[in-house]
Amino acid sequence: MGKSERRKGVVGEQDVVKCFREYGFPDARRTGVAGQEDGDIASAGPYMVEVKRVERLDIPSWWAKLLGRALAKDRIPLLVFRRSSEPWKVCVDLDYFLMLTGGQMFAPGVEWKTSDIDEWVDEPSGPSPEND
């Protein structure tokens, strides 16, 4: 990994820390060590946060690694990622998401943005099974 890629990762982690602080985690901070057992962001409540600020997404691989580490520490995995000129996105288990939202998928007065999943992946994975 080159110097500019590392710098982009550090800036990405700093952006995510700022968001966590603004939304109720005042002690959130970067761990500062790549591959840290406790994730990229410390003091983020029950969450183990992995931050990816890259152009080429590999969500399944990142999620598998994060999930294993988070479950071993009894933490809730959050994969936070973005590419240039895109907003931050979060990957979380569906069951946990539904528990967080209480099944409320829409709120009055909230403008929801939608994204096409094809924009998130570099290569289509092919047709999905009919029973999925």
Side-chain angles (χ1 to χ4, degrees):
M1 179 186 303
K3 186 176 180 179
S4 65
E5 291 169 320
R6 281 192 301 274
R7 179 71 186 140
K8 188 159 69 168
V10 167
V11 171
E13 290 171 5
Q14 291 170 337
D15 288 349
V16 173
V17 164
K18 182 180 175 185
C19 290
F20 267 76
R21 287 178 179 168
E22 288 174 3
Y23 284 91
F25 297 90
D27 298 325
R29 60 181 167 71
R30 291 183 55 245
T31 58
V33 181
Q36 178 78 10
E37 279 188 26
D38 291 327
D40 293 328
I41 309 296
S43 300
Y47 307 106
M48 181 174 288
V49 182
E50 184 72 23
V51 179
K52 298 292 183 181
R53 175 64 180 83
V54 296
E55 299 309 310
R56 187 168 173 81
L57 302 181
D58 189 8
I59 295 169
S61 174
W62 299 335
W63 183 255
K65 291 175 189 175
L66 173 60
L67 184 61
R69 290 193 338 256
L71 293 178
K73 299 265 186 170
D74 199 27
R75 308 276 295 282
I76 299 163
L78 294 180
L79 176 59
V80 182
F81 61 95
R82 84 174 184 93
R83 295 191 286 202
S84 295
S85 304
E86 292 184 3
W88 285 103
K89 297 172 180 73
V90 176
C91 182
V92 64
D93 278 332
L94 178 60
D95 289 339
Y96 185 71
F97 172 77
L98 293 173
M99 183 183 77
L100 279 175
T101 64
Q104 298 295 320
M105 301 297 280
F106 300 98
V110 175
E111 181 180 328
W112 293 92
K113 294 182 180 179
T114 58
S115 295
D116 183 352
I117 190 65
D118 291 335
E119 294 175 8
W120 296 7
V121 294
D122 292 315
E123 297 178 19
S125 60
S128 60
E130 289 181 30
N131 295 331
D132 221 18

